[in-house]
Amino acid sequence: MPPGSRPIAHSAGDSERLWWRDGVIYQVYPRSFADSNGDGVGDLEGIRSRLDHLAWLGVAGIWISPFFPSPMKDFGYDVSDYCDVDPIFGSLSDFDRLLRDAHERGIRVILDFVPNHSSDQHPWFLEARASRTNPRRDWYVWRDPAPGGGPPNNWVAIFGGPAWEWDAATGQYYLHSFLREQPELNWRNPELERAMHAVLRFWLERGVDGFRIDVAHRIAKDPALRSNPLVPGSADPGYGGQLHVHDEDHPDVHALFRRMRALVDEYDERVLIGEVYLFDPARVAKYYGAGDELHQGFNFSLLSGAWSGERFRHEVERFHGAVPPQGWPNQVLSNHDVHRHATRYDHAELGEARARLAALLLLALRGTPFLYYGEEIGMRCVPIPEHRLRDPLAITLHPSLTRDPERTPMQWDETAHAGFSSAEPWLPIHADSTHRNVRAQRADAGSLLHLYRALIALRAAHPALSRGAQRTLPAPAGVFAFERARGGERFVAALNFGDEAAVASLGAGAPLSGLCSRHGAELPRDLAHVTLGPAEGVVLRVA
Ligand code: TEU
């Protein structure tokens, strides 16, 4: 099959279905999913070999973190060629095969587009730094020193230190929001924008279904590059000590996304999902534009914070309230930048119950659920000894900030290296992989994996759950209860985040069917009296 033709298997019987709204998306961190060639690092062929797991689970799409050629200073988020595959992950033909096989199973493929910065080894940057007069100089952000010497302004890099790197050969500074090996691209240069649009087309023509856009909120900055005001009273010399009014979320970003959206809309059913790393939903919501910018901005409000029904309700309502009517929210509990939620919310007695309840939360809420690989088996973070730390954040800023613990190899089975690889993997595998693995959980109908699968199937079978409206219901302390409804169909969810049992009264009527987070539990017979154990929840179809 030539690249570009896209026969995609469709689920029958739901003509209004929109894959990126109604389906579940699964994030694959390619270094850690499956290693086909025994070098201890995952690869595209590894992902292809595990597509049947994803099809069985029922996901509508996968988002693959960057696999492009890269010096791997930030494990692929430093791209040195946007239109190829790093040899460690395979080749373009491996990618075409992966895409074909995913589409055959009805699984869409979202790539990770990294527009804010390239690698300092990208040929564009090598040219740009060759001389001040190089035609590519302006594709990056260069400035003379401040009048008294030193960096042009007070901006700091998110990974520590000043955001400016001195280039002695040409006598100017260049800007970088992350590592010095990740120079900032200049989206105010029309040629750079054209080149990046050509990158999007390259992949769209190959048949990819969309892009997750890295650091979407930083691609436009104050054109005058003014210094940020400081947070009053803060002693933090880093990112937290500044009010980021000039180095991120500049209003000019929206014109860039409108043009990107227009391009993507030339193709059918493709999607743009932005990593808008802002913690105010009202600001994230602006990236939906008037339905002419991003299809979704990530809701990151559930990636941190306490295990609390009240807090989850508050965050969900806040995000729902901010997303414009023409937009569609999403929900995320874990990704490659934060500790896994099964670890964040672990608990001596209730840890497993909480992981199961979290699955109900994620899959019953209004908004596209994003699963992070391994969450379907309740993978926990792996403590990484200092000599094995690989994350640049741990190396440049502080070991405690490491993201390695959530990036460890997928636990497929009980064999050596957990079925991930035939060799010692790039990061250690959790000691619990002998029992916490896909094979063991597939054989156990009561496992978390089966619960995820059942919830995904329920969501897929019922438009009320996948795309219905959501309304909070009154509930006792610790319980988050809500209704999902569409047409004549209605579901209620009651989720007890408390450590004690609770009784919720959810109106009149008898549930028709549903799922409980506790395996084997009987469904309540009367909505007026729903008893929930500690960290227990139900999703019920009601008349
Ligand atoms: O993350 C953007 C971002 O702001 C994060 O770096 C965050 O501050 C950090 O992970 C602390 O949790 C994106 C990618 O998701 C991340 O993996 C990359 O390292 C970063 O961009 C640079 O491309």
Side-chain angles (χ1 to χ4, degrees), residues 27 29 63 74 76-78 112 114 116-117 158-159 178-179 182 212 214-215 217-218 239 275 277 300 335-338 391-393 401 403 406-407:
Q27 181 187 356
Y29 194 68
W63 144 36
D74 190 17
Y77 285 97
D78 49 323
D112 209 318
V114 189
N116 183 68
H117 44 266
I158 293 165
F159 289 173
F178 294 90
L179 298 172
Q182 293 169 300
R212 174 263 187 192
D214 191 58
V215 196
H217 58 301
R218 283 181 89 96
Y239 184 84
E275 188 206 27
Y277 217 92
F300 283 152
N335 71 21
H336 65 296
D337 288 336
V338 298
D391 181 11
L393 200 53
L401 294 174
R403 298 167 296 181
E406 56 265 23
R407 297 176 175 180

Coordinates of all heavy atoms in Angstrom, one line a residue, residues 27 29 63 74 76-78 112 114 116-117 158-159 178-179 182 212 214-215 217-218 239 275 277 300 335-338 391-393 401 403 406-407, ligand 1:
Q27 N -1.4 6.8 25.0 CA -0.1 7.4 24.8 C 1.0 6.3 24.9 O 1.1 5.6 25.9 CB 0.3 8.5 25.8 CG 1.6 9.1 25.5 CD 2.1 10.1 26.5 OE1 1.4 10.4 27.5 NE2 3.3 10.6 26.4
Y29 N 5.0 5.8 24.9 CA 6.3 6.4 25.0 C 7.3 5.4 24.3 O 7.5 4.3 24.8 CB 6.7 6.6 26.4 CG 7.9 7.5 26.6 CD1 7.8 8.8 26.3 CD2 9.1 7.0 27.1 CE1 8.9 9.7 26.5 CE2 10.2 7.8 27.3 CZ 10.1 9.2 27.0 OH 11.2 10.0 27.1
W63 N -1.2 7.9 20.6 CA -0.3 9.1 20.4 C 1.1 8.6 20.7 O 1.3 8.0 21.8 CB -0.7 10.2 21.2 CG 0.4 11.1 21.8 CD1 1.6 11.4 21.2 CD2 0.4 11.7 23.1 NE1 2.3 12.2 22.1 CE2 1.7 12.4 23.2 CE3 -0.5 11.8 24.2 CZ2 2.0 13.1 24.4 CZ3 -0.1 12.5 25.3 CH2 1.1 13.1 25.4
D74 N 16.9 15.2 25.1 CA 15.6 15.2 25.9 C 14.7 14.0 25.3 O 13.5 14.2 25.2 CB 14.9 16.5 25.7 CG 13.7 16.7 26.7 OD1 13.6 15.9 27.6 OD2 12.8 17.6 26.4
G76 N 14.2 12.7 22.4 CA 13.3 12.8 21.2 C 12.6 14.2 21.1 O 12.2 14.5 20.1
Y77 N 12.5 14.9 22.3 CA 11.9 16.2 22.2 C 13.0 17.2 21.8 O 12.8 18.4 21.9 CB 11.3 16.6 23.5 CG 9.9 15.9 23.7 CD1 9.9 14.7 24.5 CD2 8.8 16.3 23.1 CE1 8.6 14.0 24.6 CE2 7.6 15.6 23.2 CZ 7.5 14.5 24.0 OH 6.3 13.8 24.1
D78 N 14.1 16.7 21.2 CA 15.1 17.6 20.6 C 15.3 16.9 19.2 O 16.0 16.0 19.0 CB 16.4 17.6 21.4 CG 16.9 16.2 21.8 OD1 16.0 15.3 22.1 OD2 18.1 15.9 21.8
D112 N 3.8 13.2 17.6 CA 4.1 14.3 18.5 C 4.9 15.3 17.7 O 6.0 15.1 17.2 CB 5.0 13.7 19.6 CG 4.9 14.5 20.9 OD1 4.8 15.7 20.9 OD2 4.8 13.9 22.0
V114 N 6.8 18.8 17.5 CA 7.6 19.6 18.4 C 8.0 20.9 17.8 O 9.1 21.1 17.3 CB 8.9 18.8 18.9 CG1 9.5 19.6 20.1 CG2 8.5 17.4 19.4
N116 N 8.2 24.1 19.0 CA 8.7 25.2 19.8 C 10.3 25.3 19.7 O 10.8 26.4 19.7 CB 8.4 25.1 21.3 CG 8.9 26.2 22.1 OD1 8.4 27.4 21.9 ND2 9.8 26.0 22.9
H117 N 10.9 24.2 19.5 CA 12.3 24.1 19.4 C 12.8 22.9 18.6 O 12.0 21.9 18.5 CB 12.9 24.0 20.8 CG 12.2 23.0 21.7 ND1 11.2 23.4 22.6 CD2 12.3 21.7 21.8 CE1 10.7 22.3 23.2 NE2 11.4 21.2 22.7
I158 N 13.0 26.4 31.5 CA 12.2 25.5 32.3 C 13.1 24.4 33.0 O 12.8 24.0 34.1 CB 11.0 25.0 31.5 CG1 10.1 26.2 31.2 CG2 10.3 23.9 32.3 CD1 9.1 25.9 30.1
F159 N 14.2 24.0 32.2 CA 15.1 23.0 32.8 C 16.2 23.6 33.5 O 17.3 23.0 33.8 CB 15.6 22.1 31.6 CG 14.5 21.2 31.0 CD1 14.8 20.4 29.9 CD2 13.3 21.0 31.6 CE1 13.9 19.6 29.4 CE2 12.3 20.2 31.1 CZ 12.6 19.5 30.0
F178 N 14.1 25.3 27.1 CA 14.4 24.0 27.8 C 15.9 23.9 27.8 O 16.5 24.7 28.4 CB 13.6 22.8 27.1 CG 12.1 23.0 27.2 CD1 11.4 23.7 26.3 CD2 11.5 22.5 28.4 CE1 10.0 23.9 26.4 CE2 10.1 22.7 28.5 CZ 9.4 23.4 27.6
L179 N 16.4 22.8 27.3 CA 17.9 22.7 27.3 C 18.6 23.6 26.3 O 18.0 24.0 25.3 CB 18.3 21.2 26.9 CG 17.8 20.1 27.8 CD1 18.1 18.7 27.2 CD2 18.4 20.2 29.2
Q182 N 18.2 22.7 22.9 CA 16.9 22.8 22.2 C 16.6 24.3 21.9 O 15.7 24.9 22.5 CB 15.8 22.3 23.2 CG 15.9 20.8 23.4 CD 15.0 20.3 24.6 OE1 15.2 20.7 25.7 NE2 14.1 19.4 24.3
R212 N -0.2 15.7 18.4 CA -0.1 16.3 19.7 C 1.0 17.3 19.6 O 2.0 17.1 19.1 CB 0.2 15.2 20.7 CG 0.4 15.7 22.2 CD 1.9 15.9 22.5 NE 2.2 16.2 23.9 CZ 3.3 16.6 24.3 NH1 4.4 16.8 23.5 NH2 3.5 16.9 25.6
D214 N 3.6 19.8 21.0 CA 4.4 20.0 22.2 C 4.5 21.5 22.5 O 4.7 22.3 21.6 CB 5.8 19.4 21.9 CG 6.7 19.4 23.2 OD1 6.3 18.7 24.1 OD2 7.8 20.0 23.2
V215 N 4.4 21.8 23.8 CA 4.6 23.2 24.3 C 3.9 24.2 23.4 O 4.5 25.3 23.0 CB 6.1 23.5 24.3 CG1 6.4 24.8 25.1 CG2 6.9 22.4 24.9
H217 N 1.8 26.5 23.8 CA 1.6 27.8 24.3 C 2.8 28.7 24.3 O 2.8 29.9 24.7 CB 1.1 27.7 25.8 CG 2.1 27.0 26.7 ND1 2.5 25.7 26.4 CD2 2.8 27.4 27.7 CE1 3.4 25.4 27.3 NE2 3.6 26.4 28.1
R218 N 3.9 28.2 23.8 CA 5.2 29.0 23.8 C 5.7 29.4 22.4 O 6.7 30.0 22.3 CB 6.3 28.3 24.6 CG 6.1 28.4 26.1 CD 7.2 27.7 26.8 NE 8.3 28.6 27.1 CZ 8.5 29.3 28.3 NH1 7.6 29.1 29.2 NH2 9.5 30.0 28.4
Y239 N 11.9 29.2 37.0 CA 10.6 29.4 36.3 C 9.5 29.9 37.3 O 8.8 30.8 36.9 CB 10.2 28.1 35.7 CG 9.0 28.1 34.9 CD1 9.0 28.6 33.6 CD2 7.7 27.8 35.4 CE1 7.8 28.7 32.8 CE2 6.6 27.9 34.7 CZ 6.6 28.3 33.4 OH 5.5 28.4 32.7
E275 N -0.5 20.6 23.7 CA 0.0 20.7 25.1 C 0.1 22.1 25.5 O 1.1 22.8 25.3 CB 1.4 20.0 25.2 CG 1.9 19.8 26.7 CD 3.4 19.8 26.9 OE1 4.1 20.4 26.1 OE2 3.8 19.2 27.9
Y277 N 0.5 24.1 28.3 CA 0.9 23.8 29.7 C 0.6 25.0 30.6 O 1.5 25.6 31.1 CB 2.3 23.5 29.7 CG 2.7 22.4 30.7 CD1 2.8 21.1 30.4 CD2 3.1 22.7 32.0 CE1 3.2 20.1 31.3 CE2 3.4 21.7 33.0 CZ 3.5 20.4 32.6 OH 3.8 19.5 33.4
F300 N -4.8 19.5 32.1 CA -3.8 19.0 33.0 C -4.1 19.1 34.5 O -3.3 18.8 35.3 CB -2.4 19.7 32.7 CG -1.8 19.2 31.4 CD1 -0.9 20.1 30.8 CD2 -1.9 17.9 31.0 CE1 -0.3 19.7 29.6 CE2 -1.3 17.5 29.8 CZ -0.4 18.4 29.1
N335 N 0.9 11.1 32.3 CA 1.7 11.1 31.1 C 3.1 11.0 31.4 O 3.5 10.7 32.5 CB 1.3 12.4 30.3 CG 1.8 13.7 30.9 OD1 2.8 13.7 31.7 ND2 1.2 14.8 30.5
H336 N 4.0 11.2 30.3 CA 5.4 11.0 30.5 C 6.1 12.0 31.3 O 7.4 11.9 31.4 CB 6.0 10.8 29.1 CG 6.0 12.1 28.3 ND1 4.8 12.7 27.9 CD2 6.9 12.9 27.9 CE1 5.0 13.8 27.3 NE2 6.3 14.0 27.2
D337 N 5.4 13.0 31.7 CA 6.1 14.1 32.5 C 5.8 14.2 33.9 O 6.3 15.0 34.7 CB 5.7 15.5 31.9 CG 6.3 15.8 30.5 OD1 7.4 15.2 30.2 OD2 5.8 16.5 29.7
V338 N 4.9 13.3 34.4 CA 4.5 13.4 35.8 C 4.4 11.9 36.3 O 4.3 11.0 35.6 CB 3.1 14.0 36.0 CG1 3.0 15.4 35.6 CG2 2.0 13.2 35.3
D391 N 16.9 11.2 32.8 CA 16.2 12.4 32.4 C 17.0 13.7 32.6 O 17.6 13.9 33.6 CB 14.9 12.5 33.3 CG 14.1 13.7 33.0 OD1 14.3 14.4 31.9 OD2 13.1 14.0 33.8
P392 N 17.1 14.5 31.5 CA 17.9 15.8 31.6 C 17.4 16.7 32.7 O 18.2 17.4 33.3 CB 17.7 16.4 30.2 CG 16.5 15.8 29.6 CD 16.5 14.4 30.2
L393 N 16.1 16.6 33.0 CA 15.6 17.5 34.1 C 16.3 17.1 35.4 O 16.6 18.0 36.3 CB 14.1 17.2 34.2 CG 13.2 18.3 34.9 CD1 13.4 19.6 34.3 CD2 11.8 17.9 34.7
L401 N 13.5 15.8 40.5 CA 12.6 16.1 39.5 C 12.5 15.1 38.3 O 11.9 15.3 37.3 CB 12.9 17.5 38.9 CG 12.8 18.7 39.9 CD1 13.3 20.0 39.3 CD2 11.3 18.8 40.2
R403 N 11.8 12.4 35.6 CA 10.6 11.8 35.0 C 10.9 10.4 34.6 O 10.1 9.7 34.0 CB 10.2 12.7 33.8 CG 9.9 14.1 34.1 CD 9.7 15.0 32.9 NE 11.0 15.1 32.3 CZ 11.2 15.9 31.2 NH1 10.2 16.6 30.6 NH2 12.4 16.0 30.6
E406 N 8.4 7.3 35.7 CA 7.1 7.0 34.9 C 7.4 6.6 33.5 O 6.5 6.4 32.7 CB 6.2 8.2 35.0 CG 6.8 9.6 34.5 CD 7.3 10.4 35.6 OE1 7.7 9.9 36.6 OE2 7.4 11.7 35.4
R407 N 8.7 6.4 33.1 CA 9.0 6.1 31.8 C 9.6 4.7 31.7 O 10.3 4.4 30.7 CB 10.0 7.1 31.2 CG 9.4 8.5 31.1 CD 10.4 9.6 30.7 NE 9.8 10.9 30.5 CZ 10.4 12.0 30.1 NH1 11.7 11.9 29.8 NH2 9.8 13.1 30.0
Ligands
TEU1 O1 6.7 19.4 28.2 C1 6.6 20.8 28.4 C2 6.8 21.2 29.8 O2 6.5 22.3 30.2 C3 7.4 20.1 30.7 O3 8.7 20.1 30.4 C4 7.3 20.2 32.2 O4 7.5 21.5 32.6 C5 8.3 19.2 32.8 O5 8.1 18.0 32.1 C6 8.1 19.1 34.3 O6 7.1 18.1 34.5 C7 7.0 19.0 26.9 C8 7.2 17.5 26.9 O7 6.0 16.9 27.3 C9 8.4 17.2 27.7 O8 8.6 15.8 27.8 C10 9.6 17.8 27.1 O9 10.7 17.6 27.9 C11 9.4 19.3 26.9 O10 8.1 19.6 26.4 C12 10.4 19.9 26.0 O11 10.1 19.5 24.7

